[in-house]
Amino acid sequence: MRAVVLVGGFGTRLRPLTSSIPKPMLPVGHVPIIERLVANLARGGVVEVTLALGFKPEPFLEAFPDGHCAGVALHYAVEPEPLDTAGAIRFAADHAGIDDTFVVANGDVLTDLDVSAMVAFHRSRHAEATIHLIGVPDPSAFGVVALDADGRVERFIEKPAPGTAPSNLINAGTYVLEPSVLARIPVGQKVSIERATFPAIVADGGLFAMATDDYWLDTGRPEYYLEANIDIAAGRRRHDRCHPVHPDALVSPDAVITRSIVGPGATVAAGALVTDSVLLTGASVDTDAVVADSVVMGRVGAGAEVRHSVLGADGVVAPGEHVDGVKRPDPDAS
Ligand code: GTP
């Protein structure tokens, strides 16, 4: 089975982290999101992955120089301009010569979904396309479906107004597609699979969906990216584990680290307190500083306090400064 993984988005919501590293290359438990995602596809029988690249392709090429990721052969398709989700799938599938049933995954989704079970479901329904679904308390920020008893999608509504969703089952960002779906997508044009292609397949009765209660997280927002890291450290993933403090991190024996991930090369000085946070490579937390519920790539000065904040590679909190709910550098500043 072959797969296309969409990794060409701008990752706007994760700025300033994504100013230096594209979202799927950000680490979760010290391993890039894309590598954990591809490893799960491999467990489900995928043997070749085409990365649908656009924004910042270089870090992917550098990270996997031998063309393999998690033991799977990689193919790179770099769009000349962003083509949106369906346009990117068409471009990448044409590039790789895909002409059989294939899997598609959003490159920022972490899940323990059994992809082989989803392919079997897809085949049993003779579906043209099958979507993985997850139940969430508030579906209004997602694509929501209404299903019949056989799993056929009756309606697909992208981001319904609060209170109007027909179910709490959302598009979880993994699909099984027949090659006939590609013929529905015009070449070289910006097309959204959620807004254009899926509704067209629903109209022809060919869209099915399989709901599961597997671990699932869309890492696209800072609070979810943080949660994904803490989940892995806490052993909440079926297959993935990590040591919270990487052996190449420089942590003083007089610092206290609780429910947090500290990446290789990050430094934490004596007296510092780090809780429910992620310190990435390049982060430094100076003497007696406090970091809580935050993601840090930059520098936290001595005695500073950083809460509910995101510091990118150039983000600095001065010694003694207290911040809550900030992003530095400010991604909205021109
Ligand atoms: P935001 O800017 O924060 O919304 O993030 P994003 O750009 O990643 O967008 P979103 O999370 O909606 O995208 C879902 C998936 O599709 C992600 O894995 C993106 O990398 C990918 N994606 C979105 N647009 C494109 C595109 O034009 N081309 C390619 N190749 N991938 C895309």
Side-chain angles (χ1 to χ4, degrees):
M1 181 71 51
R2 294 202 271 177
V4 170
V5 180
L6 297 171
V7 290
F10 292 107
T12 322
R13 291 162 297 162
L14 271 186
R15 284 183 194 155
L17 302 175
T18 44
S19 307
S20 55
I21 301 178
K23 179 167 54 175
M25 285 303 301
L26 285 170
V28 164
H30 313 307
V31 172
I33 291 169
I34 184 69
E35 198 167 330
R36 297 209 179 268
L37 185 159
V38 170
N40 196 56
L41 294 179
R43 281 189 284 271
V46 168
V47 294
E48 186 192 285
V49 164
T50 298
L51 294 183
L53 294 154
F55 173 66
K56 288 196 201 294
E58 301 80 14
F60 294 91
L61 303 161
E62 286 159 16
F64 310 109
D66 69 345
H68 281 80
C69 170
V72 172
L74 287 183
H75 202 94
Y76 300 102
V78 184
E79 288 153 46
E81 57 181 339
L83 293 174
D84 208 338
T85 44
I89 292 167
R90 172 83 205 243
F91 180 86
D94 286 354
H95 197 277
I98 289 175
D99 57 3
D100 203 353
T101 308
F102 66 109
V103 175
V104 172
N106 281 351
D108 50 5
V109 162
L110 290 172
T111 180
D112 291 336
L113 167 71
D114 177 351
V115 173
S116 64
M118 194 170 150
V119 172
F121 175 95
H122 173 85
R123 295 210 156 111
S124 74
R125 302 303 195 276
H126 304 289
E128 183 176 0
T130 300
I131 308 176
H132 176 219
L133 301 178
I134 285 283
V136 295
D138 175 14
S140 61
F142 299 93
V144 182
V145 301
L147 295 174
D148 73 10
D150 199 33
R152 190 188 301 269
V153 176
E154 293 169 328
R155 277 187 297 151
F156 184 95
I157 307 114
E158 184 65 10
K159 300 189 175 63
T164 66
S167 76
N168 70 339
L169 295 173
I170 63 154
N171 173 7
T174 304
Y175 317 127
V176 182
L177 305 182
E178 289 305 304
S180 60
V181 174
L182 298 173
R184 294 177 178 271
I185 306 167
V187 174
Q189 286 184 30
K190 264 190 168 203
V191 184
S192 157
I193 195 155
E194 300 88 350
R195 293 179 194 282
T197 317
F198 286 151
I201 302 173
V202 170
D204 293 342
L207 189 68
F208 285 72
M210 188 179 99
T212 76
D213 59 2
D214 293 301
Y215 179 93
W216 178 86
L217 203 81
D218 173 341
T219 56
R221 282 164 44 177
E223 58 272 34
Y224 298 145
Y225 172 67
L226 187 55
E227 193 178 331
N229 275 280
I230 288 169
D231 282 349
I232 227 162
R236 291 195 195 105
R237 298 294 305 278
R238 196 190 314 163
H239 304 284
D240 297 321
R241 298 277 181 275
C242 80
H243 288 293
V245 178
H246 193 279
D248 295 333
L250 301 165
V251 178
S252 162
D254 297 322
V256 177
I257 312 278
T258 315
R259 296 184 302 273
S260 297
I261 294 267
V262 185
T267 63
V268 185
L273 198 60
V274 178
T275 43
D276 301 298
S277 293
V278 178
L279 307 183
L280 295 166
T281 300
S284 69
V285 178
D286 212 339
T287 323
D288 298 327
V290 173
V291 176
D293 305 296
S294 297
V295 183
V296 176
M297 270 184 186
R299 287 182 289 129
V300 178
E305 274 192 33
V306 178
R307 299 182 187 277
H308 309 103
S309 294
V310 182
L311 300 188
D314 299 323
V316 177
V317 174
E321 190 183 359
H322 289 201
V323 297
D324 196 336
V326 302
K327 291 184 179 184
R328 286 198 184 162
D330 180 357
D332 298 322
S334 51

